[in-house]
Structures are given as structure tokens and as C-alpha cells.
Amino acid sequence: MEVREIEKLVDDYGKAVYGFCRKLTVNSYDADDLYQQTFLKALEVADRINRNENPKAFLISLSIGIWKNQIRKEVRHQSIAPTTAITDENEEFLPSNFNVETTVISNELKIAVNQILNTLEDKFRLPLLLYYTAEMPLESIAKAMKCPKGTIKSRLHKGRMLVKEKLEENYDEKR
């Protein structure tokens, strides 16, 4: 695969890959880095990309691999020389809508779900993000995560149940 074909992949799947990177890393700075590293890695392994075998899944699996390696490195660095993490402020803005109450409730729900997603184990979090954020079919998720399709189905189900339980717990606490 040539550089022009990689450029075509960026055009076709860049937005989906960036959206997935954004959800995976939680902040825009890390998402930008992960996005760039994903396509740099795609250039390195261009001979392994097949346009006919769902390149979106391949690119997302590259993102996951790079992200996992970064997490391992951070854990190793933190064990050697602990530092405090810098966090981004919440970057979500309320859309202009006539029904302010519905908008506020919807945004609070989105924030709550994102916070819960960030607390889930990666084996539940990644399939949920791939399915709902990257809008990938089960077969592509299974290929990207290198797991059987049935495992992905059960992790999606378990992940949904965990999110639902935690949302209900939060609702009960606020009552």
C-alpha cells in the first residue's frame, strides 16, 4: 500500500479513528497523539493493510495496541518515578436547544455514562467504545481485539449491565 492509499484511509476512516481515540484517551491532547501514532504505524505496516478486509478495524486495532503500550509505559514510569497527572477540564458544551431541561438532563447522563465507562475494565470498555463510538460491527470488533465474536457479545452485554447498574446506583444515591 502506498502513501496515497494511506491518505485515502485517513480521508475515509480518520474521523471514526479520531473519535475512538478521543473516547479511549479521555482528553484531546492524548487523542491527537494517539491518532497521529496510529497513522504513522499504518505507514510502517502498509503492506499488511488490505482495503478489502475492513481497514477501519485494522486501524482501530493499531490504536488499541499503541494505547495499551502507552499505558504499560506510564505504569512502569510511575512505579519508578511517581508524578501527578494533569487532567483536562470537561470540554462538552451545551447545544442551543429550546428545551433546556431536556438538554441539561441529557448532558448529565452523557457525562455520567462517560465517567462510568472510564472506570470499567478495558475488556468491557473497549468493545463498548468500538460498538457505540466507532460504530463497528461485532465481526470487526472481534478481529480488532483478536477475540471470538461470542466473547465480544458477552463483554458488550456485561459492559452494558455494569453501566446500567452504576447508573442506577448513582440515581439511588442522589434521591
Side-chain angles (χ1 to χ4, degrees), residues 134-171:
E135 299 175 355
M136 292 175 63
L138 293 173
E139 296 83 16
S140 298
I141 296 170
K143 190 173 183 178
M145 293 188 66
K146 300 172 184 143
C147 293
K149 183 178 170 183
T151 302
I152 299 302
K153 283 182 177 180
S154 65
R155 288 180 181 177
L156 278 170
H157 177 72
K158 176 73 173 177
R160 288 183 199 116
M161 297 312 294
L162 289 170
V163 170
K164 180 182 175 187
E165 289 170 9
K166 290 183 181 188
L167 280 173
E168 288 172 350
E169 286 174 14
N170 290 347
Y171 178 75

Side-chain angles (χ1 to χ4, degrees), residues 44-110:
E44 290 175 18
V45 296
D47 57 320
R48 292 187 359 213
I49 300 174
N50 185 349
R51 282 287 279 171
N52 301 324
E53 290 188 12
N54 197 350
K56 180 180 175 182
F58 185 80
L59 293 169
I60 295 231
S61 66
L62 285 178
S63 300
I64 292 170
I66 293 167
W67 179 73
K68 284 182 177 180
N69 286 339
Q70 288 175 342
I71 297 297
R72 283 187 208 111
K73 286 177 186 176
E74 287 177 24
V75 167
R76 189 173 44 236
H77 289 298
Q78 288 296 327
S79 67
I80 295 170
T83 59
T84 57
I86 300 172
T87 59
D88 275 355
E89 301 222 359
N90 191 350
E91 295 180 0
E92 295 192 0
F93 300 101
L94 290 174
S96 60
N97 196 342
F98 293 110
N99 191 344
V100 176
E101 182 178 358
T102 304
T103 305
V104 170
I105 291 171
S106 174
N107 283 336
E108 285 181 5
L109 183 60
K110 286 178 188 176

